[in-house]
Amino acid sequence: MTGVKICGIRDVQTMELCTRLKVDWVGFVFCETSPRFVTADQASRLHQSVASTKENGPLRVGLFVKADDGLIEHVLQAVPLDILQIYDTADRALEIQSRFGRPVWRACGIASRSDLPTDPKLSGYVIEAPKQPQDCRPGGLGRTFDWSLTQNWTPPSFWMLAGGLTPRNVQNAIQESQSPAVDVSSGVESSPGCKSAELIEKFVANARKGLDLTSNLS
């Protein structure tokens, strides 16, 4: 079954919904320029609101943009994140993975097949559209890319598809990209930063009708 991550969680009701729907991961955004930004204390309250084992609740992913060690350490003192999603250079992502002893997924903007990552040392990758000069943040912009670029790609480690996914296009995205998992944020919102329960339910249902391309969603 295709893995599902709902990113940009900001309220307990959405945490509870994601748990009931048995989504694989929920994402907390620690980037102040995002409408989905939460503080470490807010994320801690969300974390504590529902179970956090793989059998009983979604794994927690923390999203950081060019964050220094101090910020990551501050967040981890409040929230026992399972995975760190990093917007930064490959070297910095590896440094963070080594420093904090947690799986790191590096977000990669893809414009051509040559942009696809090849380094197996990182735990995973989030593959999405590339950042444009006018963008004020690297992700959560609702922008897609050519999903066929990942067809027949041999990934170096686990990966998931992100960027511009919605309940309407997620099945097609899974089939075209051959992605084992999908990550959605703005595509299940009624307005920036405000998640829609109806859209989340539809997204999860449609994603799980997609191709089953993985047996290990680590």
Side-chain angles (χ1 to χ4, degrees):
M1 183 165 60
T2 302
V4 176
K5 174 173 174 273
I6 307 295
C7 196
I9 306 295
R10 300 181 68 235
D11 61 87
V12 170
Q13 292 80 6
T14 302
M15 282 290 292
E16 292 174 341
L17 174 62
C18 289
T19 301
R20 290 197 302 273
L21 295 175
K22 299 185 184 302
V23 306
D24 299 276
W25 309 274
V26 292
F28 303 136
V29 176
F30 301 103
C31 172
E32 293 188 7
T33 60
S34 171
R36 301 159 193 99
F37 169 69
V38 290
T39 66
D41 287 343
Q42 289 171 324
S44 177
R45 289 192 290 272
L46 293 172
H47 162 69
Q48 294 175 33
S49 68
V50 299
S52 61
T53 66
K54 186 136 187 178
E55 294 76 20
N56 298 311
L59 297 179
R60 277 59 160 164
V61 181
L63 188 156
F64 298 89
V65 179
K66 295 190 178 298
D68 60 26
D69 286 356
L71 172 60
I72 297 173
E73 185 170 358
H74 171 67
V75 170
L76 289 175
Q77 287 174 347
V79 192
L81 296 171
D82 299 291
I83 298 158
L84 308 179
Q85 180 176 331
I86 302 299
Y87 285 82
D88 211 321
T89 65
D91 287 345
R92 175 60 177 150
L94 283 168
E95 180 181 278
I96 290 170
Q97 184 169 266
S98 176
R99 166 72 174 82
F100 293 99
R102 281 171 169 76
V104 165
W105 295 345
R106 180 174 177 246
C108 295
I110 303 301
S112 67
R113 283 188 67 89
S114 64
D115 295 323
L116 291 168
T118 59
D119 191 341
K121 292 189 286 292
L122 279 176
S123 299
Y125 293 91
V126 178
I127 304 300
E128 59 186 15
K131 186 177 184 294
Q132 301 299 316
Q134 71 273 15
D135 294 338
C136 63
R137 58 184 188 275
L141 299 166
R143 183 182 299 131
T144 63
F145 68 101
D146 181 358
W147 297 319
S148 68
L149 291 174
T150 59
Q151 287 182 9
N152 303 314
W153 170 46
T154 301
S157 52
F158 170 77
W159 72 285
M160 64 171 55
L161 181 70
L165 300 179
T166 69
R168 286 179 173 270
N169 69 14
V170 66
Q171 287 186 53
N172 187 46
I174 292 166
Q175 291 169 1
E176 284 197 27
S177 68
Q178 302 177 341
S179 174
V182 287
D183 183 359
V184 67
S185 187
S186 62
V188 290
E189 293 180 344
S190 56
S191 61
C194 296
K195 292 291 188 281
S196 161
E198 180 182 5
L199 290 176
I200 289 174
E201 289 175 357
K202 289 180 178 178
F203 184 90
V204 172
N206 290 343
R208 288 176 173 163
K209 295 176 185 174
L211 300 175
D212 182 3
L213 295 169
T214 185
S215 59
N216 181 20
L217 298 177
S218 58

